[in-house]
Amino acid sequence: ETNDGKPQLEQALQVYRAGKPEIIDKPVASNLAEVVAIYRAAEHFDVPMFSSSSLRYSEGAQAIRAGKVGDVLGCNAYSPASIEPSHTDLVWYGFHGVESLCTCMGGGCERVSHVATEGRELAVGVWSGGRIGTFHGIREGKAGYGGTAFGTTGITPIGDYGGYRPLVVEIAKFFRTREALIDPQETIEPYACMEAAAESKRNRGASGAIADVMSVAEVKATEL
């Protein structure tokens, strides 16, 4: 339940060495390299590990995931996006909206471009097959959670935040079965998207490639 992502790796290693299954509340860590290191450690110690935003399990996102609009061709999502300087920009709180977006879109994001002002963040991701997903981060004005999914058979709102109960039910299943409910790569990809967005921001809007930020993070993870 540590809110600060920086000590998560050190804390996780204590759990893994004890052979205990672990749930890490968001964020998994403060940046992508630390996230990769944590998942590598869980694999090394053969310990089940699970992490998720509660937004992943909202009724609307799960219905979209299950085919409510057919194949998802595009999606926009929004959430609050306050920033903590010690974390990659969107990781601190924009993660909720980014994971909601990635839940609806599925895997396969290839590159992200990003623009930010003092009060707003806008990240645009291009997924395999030319699908497009956007995240709008809010730091001023009315804030909330939601978005819209566009599919082959329909268009539907993601819906409001559904509270913690759906996530807690999944956590209970995890501890009973000791089986991770999300493929590790599916948890890592939103962090890769946020790292690519930060890279785009540093490069004044030029898109950041997911493959590139993952390669850098994998090297850095070996040094942690």
Side-chain angles (χ1 to χ4, degrees):
E1 289 294 327
T2 304
N3 288 327
D4 187 347
K6 297 190 299 300
Q8 298 280 38
L9 176 57
E10 179 183 354
Q11 294 172 349
L13 287 172
Q14 295 177 49
V15 176
Y16 299 157
R17 288 171 182 141
K20 302 291 186 179
E22 181 185 44
I23 166 73
I24 299 181
D25 193 15
K26 73 87 196 163
V28 173
S30 67
N31 60 57
L32 179 60
E34 293 169 358
V35 171
V36 171
I38 285 173
Y39 274 92
R40 281 183 179 176
E43 183 178 9
H44 172 77
F45 286 99
D46 194 24
V47 173
M49 178 269 189
F50 173 71
S51 182
S52 175
S53 163
S54 54
L55 272 292
R56 171 179 287 275
Y57 290 103
S58 69
E59 182 178 350
Q62 287 299 305
I64 292 164
R65 179 86 170 197
K68 183 176 181 178
V69 296
D71 295 333
V72 177
L73 304 177
C75 184
N76 62 62
Y78 59 85
S79 79
S82 56
I83 288 176
E84 162 52 46
S86 62
H87 290 54
T88 300
D89 281 0
L90 299 180
V91 167
W92 182 252
Y93 216 83
F95 175 72
H96 287 303
V98 174
E99 183 156 20
S100 182
L101 172 64
C102 290
T103 299
C104 294
M105 291 292 292
C109 186
E110 297 175 344
R111 62 184 187 275
V112 178
S113 57
H114 180 249
V115 62
T117 64
E118 185 175 342
R120 298 284 176 189
E121 305 273 351
L122 180 63
V124 180
V126 177
W127 268 253
S128 57
R131 300 177 299 134
I132 293 177
T134 65
F135 166 70
H136 190 136
I138 305 166
R139 282 193 295 280
E140 64 181 14
K142 174 64 176 175
Y145 302 89
T148 305
F150 305 88
T152 53
T153 61
I155 299 172
T156 191
I158 299 175
D160 296 332
Y161 172 51
Y164 276 105
R165 186 182 188 281
L167 173 60
V168 173
V169 168
E170 298 303 317
I171 291 171
K173 291 178 184 177
F174 167 72
F175 280 116
R176 288 170 179 166
T177 65
R178 293 178 63 97
E179 294 180 2
L181 304 173
I182 305 172
D183 183 272
Q185 188 54 45
E186 190 169 347
T187 302
I188 293 170
E189 184 165 303
Y191 289 92
C193 289
M194 292 184 285
E195 195 73 35
E199 183 69 15
S200 174
K201 182 179 178 180
R202 288 189 288 270
N203 292 321
R204 300 188 177 186
S207 63
I210 299 296
D212 291 344
V213 297
M214 280 300 302
S215 294
V216 171
E218 286 166 357
V219 171
K220 289 182 177 179
T222 63
E223 301 168 355
L224 296 175

